[in-house]
Amino acid sequence: MDKVADPKSYTAKDFASDQEVRWCPGCGDYSILNQVKKILPEIGVARENIVFISGIGCSSRFPYYTETYGMHSIHGRATAIASGLKAANPKLDVWIITGDGDALSIGGNHLIHLLRRNFNVNILLFNNEIYGLTKGQYSPTSPIGKISASTPQGSLDYPFNPLMLALGAEGTFVARSIDTNPTHLRETLLQAHNHHGASFVEIYQNCNVFNDGCFAPFSDKGIKEDHVVMLEEGKPLVFGADLNKGVTLDGFKPKIIELSNGHTPEECWIHDPTDRIKATILTQFFEYSAEPGALPRPFGLFYQEERYSYEDHMEDQLKQADDKNGAGDLDALLSGPNPWQVA
Ligand SMILES: Cc1ncc(C[n+]2csc(CCOP(=O)(O)OP(=O)(O)O)c2C)c(N)n1
Ligand code: SF4
């Protein structure tokens, strides 16, 4: 990789690799790649210190397409490999690219442990509610009843709620965005990058070949207004075509109020991403219903907490050991107290 001396001089073009992008025309992955390439010049990190690590899936082809270091690794193990890389070289800027199958089926175990350890990495989960690469089998986020190549009579599984899972695993940055809203996606990616600790971003991504339109209620004009609430710190939870609906909390129970009906935005729930209990309630705005009065799907930053990362703890522990025992000698450790040589 050629070095560009000053990261401040980068443009999105400096992050485009020479590889042909081989996703299907119209796939939501393109939008995510474009937004990532747009924010990379802004983060001010030299290309040679950025690493994209993916598992297996269409989404996991991502590292080929950025002019940085990267690894298209093994199924479900991007999180484990990234954890090892961060422990070995905490200064690297590490991004994990994974799909709903990769992260939540085969990789579910590794994901939750990365989150509770709070490695300082960015996890981008491309959720298309299907296995794309293997041609359309249902995934852990597919809804009940999903007809797919492997569930011809409909899925019987209750789907994972990725954000609830991330919060339950002690995630310190939990957010949702969508491929069709590039401005929001870009802002969310920047926020995730600026967070010290594990940032988990679920990105709704349309697989137009095997699961087209699965997020239409949250992306299509004329429909999404009644089904999407944008989370903004310090702002009320309001939605609807004329922002005529709000969400309030009755104890721990969220309720919809009609703002045109004598209610005011001041009565609404004010978003506070540092409130873990409220963030947990927000993750449960998850059942989709076209019925009036249904809770909207939230997008934005649900929860953020500053907490020491794994690498911070590790650095402290190594320093304490050095202070107590002096600097280590790896050769002496390997040869042991009674070494012998073959003449
Ligand atoms: C050990 C192993 N098991 C199964 C597979 C088959 N496989 C490849 S990708 C994939 C799932 C991909 O789905 P997802 O992570 O949602 O990514 P997408 O292709 O939708 O982006 C599966 C099951 C594999 N490659 N390796
Ligand atoms: S199969 Fe789906 S997820 Fe994979 S590249 Fe094609 S549209 Fe995208």
Side-chain angles (χ1 to χ4, degrees):
M1 186 195 323
D2 294 337
K3 279 192 185 182
V4 175
D6 180 5
K8 289 194 197 93
S9 68
Y10 289 148
T11 67
K13 275 196 190 140
D14 291 309
F15 289 97
S17 77
D18 59 2
Q19 297 297 300
E20 182 196 349
V21 183
R22 297 179 67 178
W23 290 314
C24 309
C27 174
D29 288 354
Y30 287 96
S31 159
I32 306 173
L33 175 64
N34 283 339
Q35 299 323 312
V36 170
K37 282 197 297 206
K38 277 191 183 153
I39 63 132
L40 288 177
E42 286 184 49
I43 66 176
V45 178
R47 288 190 304 191
E48 58 271 25
N49 291 327
I50 302 176
V51 188
F52 284 89
I53 299 181
S54 64
I56 298 293
C58 296
S59 36
S60 288
R61 293 191 58 76
F62 196 98
Y64 296 124
Y65 307 140
T66 53
E67 187 65 5
T68 62
Y69 282 102
M71 188 175 182
H72 184 190
S73 77
I74 42 178
H75 205 14
R77 300 299 186 266
T79 34
I81 290 165
S83 302
L85 182 64
K86 259 317 235 192
N89 188 350
K91 293 197 170 55
L92 292 176
D93 199 54
V94 175
W95 297 74
I96 294 166
I97 306 293
T98 183
D100 40 303
D102 190 62
L104 301 172
S105 291
I106 195 166
N109 185 24
H110 299 276
L111 174 70
I112 56 178
H113 294 294
L114 182 148
L115 288 167
R116 81 183 164 86
R117 288 176 177 140
N118 199 32
F119 275 101
N120 185 16
V121 298
N122 310 296
I123 307 162
L124 309 186
L125 190 152
F126 293 31
N127 182 6
N128 55 17
E129 297 190 348
I130 205 81
Y131 290 177
L133 187 77
T134 46
K135 302 193 186 304
Q137 297 83 4
Y138 80 130
S139 91
T141 54
S142 301
I144 290 179
K146 175 77 193 165
I147 307 275
S148 77
S150 54
T151 51
Q153 296 191 62
S155 159
L156 302 174
D157 294 5
Y158 191 80
F160 261 137
N161 176 333
L163 296 192
M164 214 163 115
L165 187 77
L167 262 187
E170 300 293 333
T172 56
F173 181 104
V174 174
R176 178 185 289 135
S177 192
I178 187 163
D179 55 4
T180 50
N181 189 339
T183 310
H184 185 262
L185 180 54
R186 214 162 42 242
E187 279 164 14
T188 309
L189 294 173
L190 276 172
Q191 272 182 307
H193 182 266
N194 292 338
H195 175 70
H196 183 76
S199 314
F200 181 85
V201 184
E202 178 189 26
I203 306 170
Y204 284 175
Q205 172 251 322
N206 193 39
C207 167
N208 54 311
V209 172
F210 295 110
N211 207 12
D212 196 23
C214 73
F215 298 120
F218 317 117
S219 63
D220 287 8
K221 235 178 157 189
I223 312 174
K224 67 176 178 184
E225 292 76 5
D226 282 330
H227 294 288
V228 167
V229 62
M230 303 307 289
L231 302 175
E232 287 180 76
E233 185 167 5
K235 301 264 175 71
L237 266 64
V238 290
F239 66 107
D242 308 314
L243 297 181
N244 56 336
K245 295 183 225 188
V247 184
T248 58
L249 265 182
D250 181 3
F252 287 118
K253 214 173 158 38
K255 271 189 171 170
I256 307 289
I257 51 175
E258 291 292 333
L259 297 179
S260 51
N261 220 357
H263 291 288
T264 63
E266 286 70 43
E267 293 171 57
C268 295
W269 167 342
I270 304 295
H271 182 51
D272 174 6
T274 65
D275 188 325
R276 192 178 176 85
I277 293 176
K278 282 188 170 171
T280 308
I281 298 172
L282 276 176
T283 63
Q284 290 166 13
F285 289 26
F286 190 62
E287 298 296 335
Y288 171 71
S289 164
E291 295 299 313
L295 289 169
R297 191 72 51 102
F299 287 79
L301 176 60
F302 285 57
Y303 183 65
Q304 184 170 23
E305 170 193 335
E306 286 302 323
R307 195 195 316 148
Y308 238 44
S309 70
Y310 187 92
E311 307 91 291
D312 297 334
H313 284 298
M314 200 182 66
E315 218 168 275
D316 283 359
Q317 204 175 53
L318 288 173
K319 188 172 175 317
Q320 279 167 20
D322 275 359
D323 290 348
K324 192 169 161 218
N325 307 319
D329 180 343
L330 185 61
D331 288 338
L333 182 72
L334 290 176
S335 55
N338 298 309
W340 48 273
Q341 272 188 341
V342 179

